[in-house]
Amino acid sequence: GTCRCATRPPKPAHKRRAMLHLALITASNRQPDWIDAGADDYAKRLRGRCALEIKTVPLAKRTASAPVERAIADEGERLLALVPQGAHVVALCEGGKPWSTKDLAQKLDSWMRLGVTVCFLVGGPDGLSQACVERARERWSLSNLTLPHGLVKVLVAEALYRAWSVLENHPYHRA
């Protein structure tokens, strides 16, 4: 008889489901363990066709004699150095637009079709450099509130997981 366990031919490239690579790149000094644990937990939940990598650059030294603008520019250079060529960049900043979970889910879906890494940039305590904002194709504001940067890291990771769960019809997004 014929073997029923024969392997199937691979799907054509245009029918394969794309992979979405996300990078959350922040400027921050050491955060409490619960911050890193929370962000890492959401990053680990994103498996399968979506992956979130969390990268951190140290804050620039701030002194009374050095202008804050220099620190912001230094952090911006370090953030941008971690952005792969061709990546789609999203700046988290005051001038950004608020996105609902549904908005973010739609963006994740469209970014996945682009087939490029999506990098979310979070500046230090004085914000993102002009170079980071100019490199960004989109600007996102999480809130009108001023939020601690560690908390932003957890909020963005959770928001990405929640939006992805909407796309995947996972029950988490209804929690």
Side-chain angles (χ1 to χ4, degrees):
T2 58
C3 177
R4 295 183 189 269
C5 60
T7 58
R8 293 183 178 144
K11 289 183 180 180
H14 69 281
K15 294 204 175 187
R16 282 189 212 128
R17 299 185 83 185
M19 178 76 183
L20 180 59
H21 295 278
L22 306 171
L24 174 56
I25 308 172
T26 67
S28 176
N29 286 335
R30 177 131 170 72
Q31 294 292 316
D33 290 342
W34 68 268
I35 294 282
D36 293 330
D40 290 346
D41 179 61
Y42 289 112
K44 285 177 192 156
R45 292 182 193 199
L46 283 166
R47 10 179 226 275
R49 296 183 310 119
C50 185
L52 173 62
E53 184 177 5
I54 299 172
K55 303 174 186 182
T56 303
V57 300
L59 293 178
K61 298 263 187 272
R62 283 160 170 75
T63 63
S65 62
V68 164
E69 294 77 21
R70 184 68 243 156
I72 296 169
D74 288 348
E75 291 160 1
E77 288 171 18
R78 282 188 247 143
L79 290 167
L80 290 172
L82 295 178
V83 174
Q85 188 172 348
H88 183 89
V89 176
V90 177
L92 279 93
C93 57
E94 281 182 26
K97 293 182 179 175
W99 297 344
S100 68
T101 298
K102 186 177 177 184
D103 294 336
L104 184 55
Q106 290 169 344
K107 287 179 181 294
L108 290 176
D109 190 49
S110 67
W111 294 332
M112 187 166 45
R113 282 189 247 126
L114 283 177
V116 297
T117 298
V118 180
C119 296
F120 299 87
L121 302 182
V122 179
D126 299 301
L128 278 173
S129 70
Q130 191 59 39
C132 288
V133 175
E134 288 172 6
R135 173 67 177 81
R137 302 194 77 185
E138 298 185 69
R139 296 174 190 168
W140 180 18
S141 173
L142 291 179
S143 171
N144 287 331
L145 297 170
T146 300
L147 300 169
H149 283 73
L151 192 53
V152 168
K153 187 174 171 179
V154 177
L155 284 172
V156 171
E158 192 281 338
L160 292 169
Y161 176 68
R162 183 175 295 272
W164 183 254
S165 73
V166 169
L167 290 179
E168 296 290 296
N169 294 313
H170 188 280
Y172 176 83
H173 78 277
R174 286 184 248 118

